[in-house]
C-alpha cells in the first residue's frame, strides 16, 4: 500500500512544495519545527485543503485539486494520532476507544489493540484522570480501532517527558510490526526516527530535501546537517549473542564482529536495531591497544562530508553495515582519511543509551 | 388554596407555563443561532448578531409594541397565522410566551455561543478522522461539551421570562387568568388598596422560584463538570 502526496500551498511567508511517495512501513517526515510537516499530514487527513495538490492512498484518490476531487476527512479511513492526545473529555476511555468502531468488522480486534497498548486497566476511567503517557496510548488505540488504511502520527511523543517517551516507544515498535498498515510519522527527533522509521523523508523549508530507506539516510554523511549535527547517528542490526551477568554486559553479534553493551533485557537470539550516535564513534588508523573502550570494529571509509563548521561527517562500512562518525576536519586531515581507507571504529559501550536500542522491524515491513 | 387566592395561583401557574414554553421553544433556534454566530463566517453576521440582541437593548415596551403590530390579529404575521392555523397570540397566554421568549432569547444565545466558542475544534477534527460525519460530530462531541452552556442559557432565559413585564403587558395586556403573569399580578395588586399582602406573597414566590432554578442548574452543571474532570 502506497501513499502518493503532491502539494503546493502558500502560507503567509512560507511556501510548501512537496511531491513524494510513502511506501509500506513507517515513513518518517523529518525536519525542524515549522518546516511544514504538520501541514502535509493535515492535507493527507483532509483537515487542510492545499491550493494545488493530490493525495492518493493505495490507488484511491482522496484529494485532487486538478479534477476537483475532495473526500471529506470522515470518509478517508485515515487514523490520526495528534501531538496532543485529543481524547474526548466527556467520554470514558472505553467510550473513546469505541468512538471510531462503526467501521470495525473484527470483534477480537478490540481486545488485541487494548492488549497491545496495555490499556485494559484504564477502560473505566475518564481521560482527565490519566497520565500523559496513558492518554497518548489511548489515543493511539482509538485511532487504530477505527480500522484505518493509513495511520498518521504527528509528533505523538513531543508533549511527553523522557520517561514517558521511553514508556511509549516499545508500543510504537509493536504497532509498526503488528498493525500491518502504513504509518506516516512526523518527528523532529533523530533518535525517535532512527528507532522507528523504515523510510525517511527529510523536509526542509517546505521542500523534500532527501528521501530514502531509513538506514541509508541515517548513515549518509551529506544528510547530517539536515538531521542535526548533535542528533546524527547510523543504525545497525544486531543479534543478542550472550549475557555476562557478572560484568553486567550483553554481547551482540553484528556484521563486522562483536559489540559489547551494558546489559540489555532481551533473550539471546533477539534481533535488535541499535543507533550509534555519530559523535560517539572514534576513528583510529591503527588497532589501538590498552584502551578502555570495549568495541573496536574494522571499517572502511566510504564518504566524507565537510560542511562550513569545524566538523566533518565520515561514512564507514562495517562489514556491510553503515556507521557514521562525526570528527573534526583537523582529524580528517591529520589521519589522511579518504574513501577506501581501512581503519578502526571505536565505540564506548556506555555511549549507547537504552533509548538507542530498539527491536528490529518485522521482516514484513523491514525493507520496502 | 388557603395560602393564595385564586387570582394569585393563576398568576403563578401562568407564569410557570409561559416561561417553560418560552424557554423550550427558544432552545432549538437558540442553539442554531448561537452556532451560526460562533462558527459562521458570512457577510451579515454582525447584522444577525445585532438583531438577536435588539430585545436586550430596546425598551421592552417598544418590543411589545412591535410584537403587537406584527403578531396582532391585524398584523401581517399574526393575521396570516390566524387564517391558516388558527394560532392567535394577541391577548392570549401564547402571546405572553412569545413576548417572554423573544425577550429572553439574547441571553440564551449569548450563553450558548460562549460555550460553543470554548469547544476545541481540534476535538471535532479528531472525531472526523475517526469516521464521524459532521452531524455525528455535532451530536456526540460538540453538543455534550456545550451542554453546561445550554443549561445555563436555559436557566437564564427561564428567569428572564419569569420576570418579563414591559413587552408582555404591552402586547397581551393584563387579563387575570389569561395573560396576567407574576410581575403583572404584582403590579396590579400594588395598584389597588390593600393589595400589598398579595403582592408580597407573590414576591416571595418569585424569589423562591428563581433561587430553585439557580440551585438546580448549579447542581447539574457541577455534575457535568465532575464527569468531564474524571473519576
Amino acid at each position: 500500500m502506497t501513499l502518493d502526496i503532491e502539494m503546493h500551498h502558500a502560507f503567509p511567508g512560507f511556501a510548501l512544495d512537496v511531491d513524494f511517495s510513502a511506501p509500506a512501513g513507517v515513513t518518517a517526515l523529518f525536519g525542524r519545527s515549522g518546516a511544514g510537516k504538520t501541514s502535509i499530514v493535515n492535507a493527507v487527513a483532509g483537515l487542510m485543503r492545499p491550493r494545488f495538490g493530490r493525495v492518493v492512498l493505495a490507488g484511491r484518490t482522496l484529494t485532487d485539486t486538478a479534477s476537483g476531487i475532495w473526500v471529506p476527512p470522515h470518509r478517508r479511513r485515515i487514523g490520526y494520532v495528534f501531538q496532543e492526545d485529543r481524547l474526548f473529555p466527556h467520554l470514558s476511555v472505553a467510550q473513546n476507544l469505541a468512538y471510531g468502531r462503526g467501521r470495525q468488522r473484527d470483534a477480537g480486534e478490540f481486545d488485541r489493540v487494548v492488549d497491545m497498548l496495555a490499556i485494559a486497566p484504564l477502560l473505566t476511567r475518564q481521560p482527565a484522570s490519566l497520565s500523559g503517557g496513558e492518554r497518548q496510548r489511548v489515543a493511539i488505540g482509538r485511532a487504530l480501532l477505527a480500522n484505518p488504511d493509513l495511520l498518521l502520527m504527528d509528533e505523538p511523543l513531543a508533549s511527553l517527558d523522557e520517561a514517558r517517551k521511553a514508556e511509549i516507544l516499545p508500543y510504537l515498535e509493536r504497532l509498526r510490526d503488528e498493525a500491518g498498515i502504513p504509518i506516516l510519522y512526523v518527528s523532529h527527533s533523530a533518535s525517535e526516527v532512527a528507532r522507528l522509521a523504515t523510510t525517511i523523508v527529510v523536509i526542509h523549508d517546505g521542500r523534500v530535501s532527501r528521501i530514502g530507506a531509513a538506514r541509508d539516510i541515517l548513515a549518509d554523511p551529506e544528510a547530517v546537517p539536515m538531521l542535526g549535527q548533535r542528533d546524527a547517528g547510523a543504525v545497525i542490526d544486531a543479534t543478542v549473542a550472550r549475557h555476562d551477568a557478572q560484568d553486567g554486559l550483553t554481547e551482540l553479534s553484528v556484521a563486522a564482529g562483536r559489540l559489547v553493551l551494558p546489559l540489555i533485557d532481551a533473550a539471546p537470539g533477539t534481533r535488535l536495531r541499535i543507533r550509534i550516535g555519530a559523535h560517539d564513534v572514534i576513528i583510529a588508523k591503527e588497532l589501538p591497544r590498552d584502551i578502555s573502550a570495549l568495541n573496536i570494529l574494522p571499517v572502511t571509509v566510504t564518504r566524507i562530508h565537510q560542511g562550513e563548521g569545524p566538523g566533518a561527517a565520515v561514512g564507514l562500512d562495517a562489514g556491510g553495515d553503515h556507521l557514521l562518525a562525526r570528527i573534526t576536519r583537523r582529524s580528517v586531515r591529520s589521519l589522511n582519511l579518504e574513501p577506501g581507507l581501512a581503519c578502526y571504529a571505536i565505540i564506548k559501550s556506555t555511549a549507547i543509551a537504552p533509548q538507542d536500542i530498539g527491536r528490529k522491524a518485522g521482516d514484513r515491513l523491514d525493507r520496502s | 388554596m388557603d395560602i393564595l387566592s385564586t387570582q394569585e395561583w393563576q398568576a403563578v401557574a401562568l407564569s410557570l407555563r409561559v416561561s417553560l414554553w418560552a424557554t423550550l421553544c427558544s432552545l432549538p433556534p437558540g442553539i442554531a443561532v448561537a452556532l451560526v454566530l460562533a462558527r459562521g463566517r458570512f457577510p451579515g453576521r454582525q447584522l444577525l448578531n445585532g438583531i438577536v440582541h435588539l430585545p436586550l437593548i430596546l425598551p421592552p415596551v417598544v418590543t411589545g409594541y412591535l410584537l403587537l403590530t406584527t403578531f396582532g390579529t391585524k398584523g401581517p404575521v399574526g393575521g396570516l397565522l390566524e387564517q391558516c392555523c388558527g394560532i392567535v397570540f394577541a391577548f392570549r397566554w401564547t402571546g405572553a410566551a412569545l413576548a417572554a421568549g423573544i425577550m429572553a432569547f439574547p441571553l440564551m444565545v449569548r450563553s450558548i455561543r460562549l460555550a460553543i466558542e470554548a469547544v476545541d475544534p481540534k476535538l471535532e477534527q479528531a472525531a472526523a478522522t475517526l469516521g464521524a460525519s459532521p452531524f455525528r460530530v455535532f451530536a456526540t462531541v460538540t453538543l455534550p461539551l456545550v451542554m453546561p452552556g445550554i443549561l445555563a442559557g436555559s436557566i437564564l432565559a427561564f428567569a428572564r421570562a419569569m420576570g418579563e413585564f414591559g413587552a408582555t403587558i404591552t402586547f397581551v395586556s393584563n387579563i387575570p387568568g389569561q395573560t396576567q403573569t407574576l410581575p403583572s399580578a404584582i403590579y396590579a395588586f400594588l395598584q389597588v388598596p390593600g393589595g400589598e399582602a398579595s403582592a408580597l406573597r407573590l414576591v416571595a414566590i418569585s424569589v423562591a422560584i428563581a433561587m430553585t432554578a439557580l440551585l438546580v442548574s448549579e447542581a447539574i452543571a457541577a455534575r457535568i463538570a465532575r464527569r468531564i474532570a474524571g473519576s
Side-chain angles (χ1 to χ4, degrees):
Chain A
M1 191 171 292
T2 329
L3 171 72
D4 298 304
I5 305 162
E6 185 190 342
M7 68 180 283
H8 313 280
H9 191 95
F11 296 96
F14 163 74
L16 195 59
D17 189 0
V18 295
D19 183 359
F20 65 92
S21 293
V26 175
T27 299
L29 284 184
F30 185 88
R32 296 203 181 93
S33 302
K37 308 182 296 284
T38 298
S39 303
I40 296 172
V41 174
N42 280 342
V44 172
L47 300 180
M48 175 250 183
R49 261 178 213 257
R51 184 76 188 82
F52 303 101
R54 239 163 57 85
V55 176
V56 181
L57 176 62
R60 200 172 138 231
T61 303
L62 302 176
T63 300
D64 189 352
T65 49
S67 55
I69 295 175
W70 173 261
V71 178
H74 67 280
R75 298 225 177 86
R76 294 197 172 206
R77 302 178 63 94
I78 292 180
Y80 200 151
V81 178
F82 301 88
Q83 192 165 333
E84 341 76 58
D85 52 83
R86 299 200 192 180
L87 295 179
F88 304 126
H90 58 296
L91 301 179
S92 71
V93 167
Q95 288 169 322
N96 265 282
L97 288 172
Y99 193 87
R101 289 188 76 207
R103 299 175 185 161
Q104 192 63 41
R105 296 162 309 214
D106 179 6
E109 180 81 357
F110 187 83
D111 294 336
R112 206 177 61 78
V113 169
V114 165
D115 205 42
M116 179 177 80
L117 297 164
I119 47 181
L122 312 177
L123 289 178
T124 55
R125 310 230 325 242
Q126 290 294 126
S129 71
L130 306 181
S131 73
E134 290 169 337
R135 293 165 70 99
Q136 206 52 290
R137 257 150 61 204
V138 173
I140 293 168
R142 184 178 69 171
L144 278 181
L145 284 170
N147 201 24
D149 294 338
L150 167 76
L151 190 59
L152 305 173
M153 305 185 94
D154 184 8
E155 309 235 20
L157 304 183
S159 57
L160 306 177
D161 58 36
E162 288 306 319
R164 297 283 86 74
K165 279 184 194 173
E167 171 197 322
I168 293 201
L169 270 169
Y171 294 110
L172 295 182
E173 282 176 332
R174 288 180 73 174
L175 195 64
R176 171 191 67 194
D177 300 341
E178 293 174 18
I181 52 167
I183 298 173
L184 198 58
Y185 190 98
V186 170
S187 180
H188 67 261
S189 153
S191 60
E192 234 172 271
V193 167
R195 198 153 153 188
L196 295 171
T198 45
T199 304
I200 293 180
V201 181
V202 182
I203 307 288
H204 189 72
D205 276 344
R207 287 168 186 276
V208 175
S209 68
R210 233 165 181 82
I211 178 166
R215 60 195 60 227
D216 295 344
I217 299 272
L218 291 169
D220 183 353
E222 315 263 326
V224 167
M226 298 158 200
L227 300 181
Q229 313 279 15
R230 297 241 138 248
D231 292 329
V235 168
I236 64 171
D237 292 333
T239 309
V240 176
R242 62 181 204 89
H243 299 298
D244 182 341
Q246 201 183 341
D247 289 347
L249 296 173
T250 294
E251 236 176 72
L252 306 164
S253 73
V254 296
R258 295 248 139 170
L259 210 55
V260 178
L261 296 182
L263 205 59
I264 298 167
D265 182 20
T270 310
R271 298 198 299 166
L272 301 173
R273 176 170 156 145
I274 312 247
R275 175 178 171 271
I276 299 176
H279 48 63
D280 293 325
V281 177
I282 295 169
I283 296 176
K285 280 178 94 170
E286 308 284 335
L287 183 67
R289 296 177 51 205
D290 301 333
I291 185 168
S292 68
L294 292 176
N295 304 299
I296 300 171
L297 299 173
V299 295
T300 313
V301 174
T302 53
R303 259 188 299 173
I304 300 171
H305 176 75
Q306 303 201 7
E308 299 289 305
V314 181
L316 303 166
D317 178 282
D321 276 336
H322 297 298
L323 282 178
L324 197 59
R326 225 178 87 73
I327 57 176
T328 55
R329 279 155 71 176
R330 182 185 290 178
S331 299
V332 172
R333 214 167 46 238
S334 64
L335 292 175
N336 284 322
L337 293 184
E338 54 182 25
L341 185 82
C343 52
Y344 295 92
I346 301 161
I347 303 150
K348 281 174 59 121
S349 299
T350 49
I352 313 291
Q355 64 262 29
D356 293 328
I357 302 166
R359 292 198 316 154
K360 190 178 183 306
D363 290 342
R364 181 173 35 132
L365 298 173
D366 188 21
R367 279 288 169 133
S368 25
Chain B
M1 273 304 180
D2 298 5
I3 311 163
L4 297 179
S5 71
T6 316
Q7 195 188 350
E8 289 163 20
W9 267 116
Q10 277 176 342
V12 173
L14 182 72
S15 258
L16 286 173
R17 176 158 43 136
V18 161
S19 304
L20 202 65
W21 277 100
T23 308
L24 286 180
C25 294
S26 306
L27 257 180
I31 293 172
V33 169
L35 202 63
V36 164
L37 287 178
R39 296 282 172 83
R41 290 289 170 268
F42 57 93
R45 192 169 132 258
Q46 282 310 321
L47 187 69
L48 177 66
N49 192 33
I51 292 171
V52 167
H53 279 90
L54 219 49
L56 201 60
I57 41 181
L58 277 179
V61 178
V62 174
T63 307
Y65 177 73
L66 288 174
L67 282 173
L68 188 62
T69 51
T70 316
F71 288 94
T73 36
K74 295 205 176 68
V77 182
L80 216 67
L81 280 173
E82 188 180 5
Q83 274 171 23
C84 83
C85 331
I87 298 174
V88 179
F89 286 112
F91 307 110
R92 302 279 172 88
W93 77 270
T94 45
L98 178 68
I102 294 221
M103 292 304 290
F105 197 65
L107 292 172
M108 174 181 273
V109 169
R110 272 186 92 81
S111 170
I112 299 174
R113 178 184 172 177
L114 282 176
I116 291 173
E117 283 169 348
V119 171
D120 189 351
K122 289 176 170 179
L123 289 177
E124 296 165 318
Q125 285 186 342
T129 67
L130 291 166
S133 63
F135 177 75
R136 186 166 167 235
V137 172
F138 179 74
T140 59
V141 177
T142 318
L143 207 53
L145 291 175
V146 172
M147 208 37 101
I150 292 178
L151 200 72
S154 301
I155 297 296
L156 215 56
F158 182 81
R160 179 69 188 81
M162 286 292 292
E164 185 10 63
F165 176 69
T168 308
I169 209 161
T170 314
F171 182 27
V172 292
S173 185
N174 189 357
I175 309 162
Q178 279 287 333
T179 63
Q180 189 175 71
T181 58
L182 261 179
S184 316
I186 293 170
Y187 175 75
F189 280 125
L190 288 177
Q191 301 304 305
V192 291
E196 282 88 354
S198 292
L200 204 62
R201 282 196 289 275
L202 292 181
V203 165
I205 288 171
S206 294
V207 172
I209 291 173
M211 277 308 280
T212 309
L214 194 71
L215 291 177
V216 167
S217 91
E218 290 284 333
I220 298 175
R223 226 179 104 193
I224 293 174
R226 251 203 323 278
R227 201 156 62 91
I228 288 176
S231 54

